[in-house]
Amino acid sequence: MSESPYRLAVIVGSVRDGRFGPVVANWFCRRASQRGGLVVDLVDLAHVPAALGGAPATATPDEAPFAERIAAADAVVVVTPEYNHSYPGPLKAAIDSVGAQWHAKPVGFVSYGGISGGLRAVEHLRVVFAELHTVTVRETVSFAGAHACFDAAGEPVDAGPVNRAATVMLDQLGWWAEALRAARAARPYGG
């Protein structure tokens, strides 16, 4: 492993009022931050300009633009709900708002929703990210019936399985982040 930590951008993909995404994303960020070798950047689409599909320009002055944060990332995790058997429109707008910043980077998914746990959204996102020259990792973290999966403090009720799933996914992301960062440094990606 590199001596330099890799940068992991965690994107909250829902901007709806009353959304559950921040609960899931904050849990995942806490899990990821417990590991060595990475720095977490939480990117909440509710705080990006409306042109990117987020809420009306509520970004704080110290938040870098979305494209810069994706460019700076060595790996990305998308936290997404499932809306109508797919992922939210504002997430698509944000993804499409940048191009080369995605190239040659690994992407993982944490999904939540009803009975499918958001996995139908993840399957749609895999196709989109393939077109952006990313590497999506196989392992995901999924919460079926998400509201019942977390306690009032925002911690999973049955932490064992989701913590194990997060560990496996983060292991895969870390491997790809290091490998692709070294490859990009040795030779620019020509996608």
Side-chain angles (χ1 to χ4, degrees), residues 140-161:
T140 62
V141 182
S142 176
F143 295 93
H147 290 277
C149 293
F150 287 85
D151 63 20
E155 292 297 325
V157 174
D158 187 10

Side-chain angles (χ1 to χ4, degrees), residues 12-94:
V12 182
S14 174
V15 300
R16 284 186 178 176
D17 288 337
R19 65 201 172 119
F20 194 68
V23 172
V24 179
N26 288 332
W27 162 78
F28 182 77
C29 287
R30 287 191 303 273
R31 278 302 292 169
S33 294
Q34 292 172 358
R35 300 171 65 94
L38 64 95
V39 175
V40 177
D41 176 23
L42 180 61
V43 181
D44 189 339
L45 293 184
H47 303 295
V48 299
L52 298 185
T58 58
T60 60
D62 60 346
E63 281 189 22
F66 183 74
E68 289 179 23
R69 292 169 86 179
I70 298 304
D74 294 303
V76 177
V77 168
V78 177
V79 178
T80 185
E82 181 178 314
Y83 293 163
N84 304 314
H85 286 222
S86 195
Y87 56 94
L91 177 56
K92 177 72 162 123

